[in-house]
């Protein structure tokens, strides 16, 4: 699969953009584990043009991450164009436009998935951004605003006509948020539409190697994107890549998984500071499948998620290893 001149190989699996999740360290680990491309946290166009420091920091890229896309969102064409030009100066490989974020503070203001209620404006923004930059521009969106307005099969060709280089579709509507099961049926229909010549990437509920392979086999997508399935489990890309290549996969040893979590903690602390770095990593510790199903783990879990120092967290990890994995 190619996006512009970027060759991602056959059946690429990518890391989805996630706010407060896809920081530089997390992206790099996912790349090392087998993600073919990674996406930054999404960047507010309005905040970027106002030079808000917390937003401009999101443009920081490590060359080891490449290929990497920076994702922007906004509701005003002029701000989106100005932001895209600023992003281009940061030299990502791709600029992605977020028309899929469902959270109220974004979609409720008309940005992200909110654009699914104003298709003319969505298309106007897309065309303007494509014309403003020389990098490949891609779009990530959803099936539609709600179950009565699943418009993706009509919207896809119109976005393609704006000049985008690839389209990612999350198999839920905005009204679903992240509830229920992702519906890949319309993603498959869009991919099989003879009008579509750009790559179609599917997203939603890819949490196992088998699910990723099935997405390729059953729906014919060009690429698959993993989001929440990678939180606390960067090794999912190792498992998926191995399964797609060989038809089988061998899980990483628990010791290696522990090592990856410890690395995330250290690099999160190094990037921010000890207190905020540990707060940032708690989402990964709460979600990691490494601790799922362990007997009598509740009190250990509470203790782990309440600790505020790296030394305490490492001591808890040592206790977990000794009790459960020796």
């Amino acid at each position: 699969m190619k996006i512009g001149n970027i060759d991602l190989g056959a059946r690429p699996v990518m890391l989805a953009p996630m706010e407060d999740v896809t920081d530089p360290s997390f992206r790099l680990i996912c790349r090392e584990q087998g993600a073919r491309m990674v996406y930054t946290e999404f960047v507010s166009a309005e905040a970027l043009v106002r030079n808000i420091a917390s937003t401009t920091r999101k443009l920081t890229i490590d060359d080891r991450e490449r290929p990497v896309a920076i994702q922007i969102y906004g509701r005003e064409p002029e701000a989106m164009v100005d932001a895209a030009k600023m992003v281009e100066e940061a030299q990502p490989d791709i600029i992605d436009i977020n028309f899929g974020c469902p959270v109220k503070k974004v979609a409720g203001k008309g940005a992200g998935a909110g654009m699914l209620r104003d298709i003319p404006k969505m298309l106007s923004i897309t065309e303007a951004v494509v014309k403003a930059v020389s990098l490949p521009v891609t779009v990530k969106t959803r099936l539609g605003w709600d179950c009565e307005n699943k418009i993706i099969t009509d919207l896809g060709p119109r976005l393609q006509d704006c000049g985008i280089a690839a389209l990612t579709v999350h198999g839920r509507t905005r009204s679903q948020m992240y509830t229920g099961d992702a519906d890949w049926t319309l993603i498959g229909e869009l991919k099989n539409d003879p009008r579509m010549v750009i790559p179609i990437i599917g997203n939603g509920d890819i949490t196992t190697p088998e699910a990723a392979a099935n997405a390729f086999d059953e729906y014919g997508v060009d690429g698959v994107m993993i989001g929440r399935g990678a939180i606390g489990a960067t090794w999912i890309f190792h498992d998926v890549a191995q399964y797609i290549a060989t038809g089988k996969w061998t899980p990483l040893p628990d010791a290696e998984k522990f090592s990856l979590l410890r690395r995330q903690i250290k690099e999160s602390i190094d990037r921010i500071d000890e207190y905020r770095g540990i707060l940032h990593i708690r989402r990964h510790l709460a979600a990691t499948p490494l601790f799922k199903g362990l007997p009598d783990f509740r009190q250990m879990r509470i203790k782990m998620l309440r600790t505020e120092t790296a030394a305490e967290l490492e001591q808890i990890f040592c206790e977990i290893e000794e009790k459960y994995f020796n």
Side-chain angles (χ1 to χ4, degrees):
M1 184 187 96
K2 295 183 72 174
I3 299 178
N5 293 322
I6 302 166
D7 191 345
L8 299 175
R11 296 192 164 196
V13 178
M14 292 156 277
L15 172 66
M18 292 177 283
E19 182 65 4
D20 295 325
V21 175
T22 53
D23 60 75
S25 171
F26 183 71
R27 298 195 305 263
L28 180 57
I29 295 172
C30 288
R31 278 286 289 132
E32 292 171 354
Q33 288 296 307
R36 297 280 186 87
M37 186 164 72
V38 296
Y39 289 67
T40 65
E41 302 170 79
F42 46 82
V43 175
S44 165
E46 286 77 10
L48 188 59
V49 298
R50 296 200 310 269
N51 284 311
I52 303 300
S54 60
T55 299
T56 58
R57 282 196 293 268
K58 293 181 180 179
L59 303 186
T60 302
I61 292 171
D62 186 322
D63 280 339
R64 293 174 296 172
E65 298 175 47
R66 297 186 185 278
V68 58
I70 293 178
Q71 188 186 70
I72 60 174
Y73 75 94
R75 61 184 178 183
E76 299 302 332
E78 184 177 355
M80 287 290 282
V81 166
D82 289 344
K85 291 177 179 177
M86 295 175 69
V87 166
E88 187 170 38
E89 292 178 2
Q91 299 183 330
D93 299 285
I94 289 168
I95 297 174
D96 189 65
I97 304 176
N98 180 327
F99 292 140
C101 179
V103 300
K104 186 175 181 180
K105 69 178 182 179
V106 175
K109 296 179 180 179
M115 280 290 168
L116 289 164
R117 304 180 84 178
D118 191 347
I119 299 305
K121 194 172 188 179
M122 175 193 285
L123 298 175
S124 175
I125 287 174
T126 303
E127 186 173 12
V129 170
V130 168
K131 289 180 178 179
V133 297
S134 59
L135 290 173
V137 174
T138 59
V139 162
K140 187 172 190 286
T141 189
R142 289 184 168 230
L143 301 178
W145 178 258
D146 55 32
C147 291
E148 286 71 45
N149 294 279
K150 293 182 177 181
I151 61 172
I152 192 61
T153 53
D154 293 322
L155 177 60
R158 299 177 72 184
L159 286 167
Q160 178 177 257
D161 289 344
C162 292
I164 64 172
L167 174 61
T168 300
V169 181
H170 183 107
R172 289 183 174 86
T173 63
R174 188 274 170 177
S175 63
Q176 286 180 275
M177 299 294 285
Y178 296 102
T179 63
D181 296 328
D183 179 5
W184 283 68
T185 306
L186 292 180
I187 301 176
E189 287 186 24
L190 181 64
K191 172 57 192 173
N192 291 319
D193 186 330
R195 294 174 294 175
M196 300 303 298
V197 297
I198 61 173
I200 301 298
I201 302 162
N203 176 220
D205 295 349
I206 302 298
T207 59
T208 67
E210 293 84 357
N214 181 69
F216 286 113
D217 294 338
E218 185 168 349
Y219 302 103
V221 292
D222 299 288
V224 165
M225 194 172 280
I226 298 178
R228 290 175 296 160
I231 299 176
T234 53
W235 51 85
I236 190 173
F237 293 101
H238 163 274
D239 298 343
V240 171
Q242 193 178 81
Y243 187 78
I244 288 175
T246 67
K248 56 185 178 180
W249 59 283
T250 303
L252 288 181
D254 290 334
E256 289 189 41
K257 295 176 181 179
F258 262 119
S259 178
L260 290 171
L261 286 174
R262 285 180 166 120
R263 176 179 166 189
Q264 280 187 254
I265 294 165
K266 179 182 183 304
E267 293 181 358
S268 180
I269 289 171
D270 290 345
R271 184 173 62 90
I272 314 173
D273 57 47
E274 184 173 44
Y275 178 72
R276 290 183 299 157
I278 289 175
L279 288 182
H280 174 74
I281 211 69
R282 280 181 183 171
R283 178 178 301 188
H284 297 271
L285 296 179
T288 182
L290 185 59
F291 306 138
K292 299 292 191 228
L294 295 181
D296 303 318
F297 190 72
R298 184 173 180 273
Q299 291 303 316
M300 188 76 77
R301 174 186 170 86
I302 292 172
K303 184 179 177 182
M304 177 179 67
L305 296 179
R306 286 180 176 174
T307 186
E308 298 180 355
T309 72
E312 290 174 355
L313 194 52
E314 177 60 23
Q315 178 58 40
I316 292 168
F317 268 22
C318 290
E319 293 176 19
I320 292 172
E321 282 183 304
E322 182 176 355
K323 183 174 182 179
Y324 294 103
F325 297 113
N326 278 341

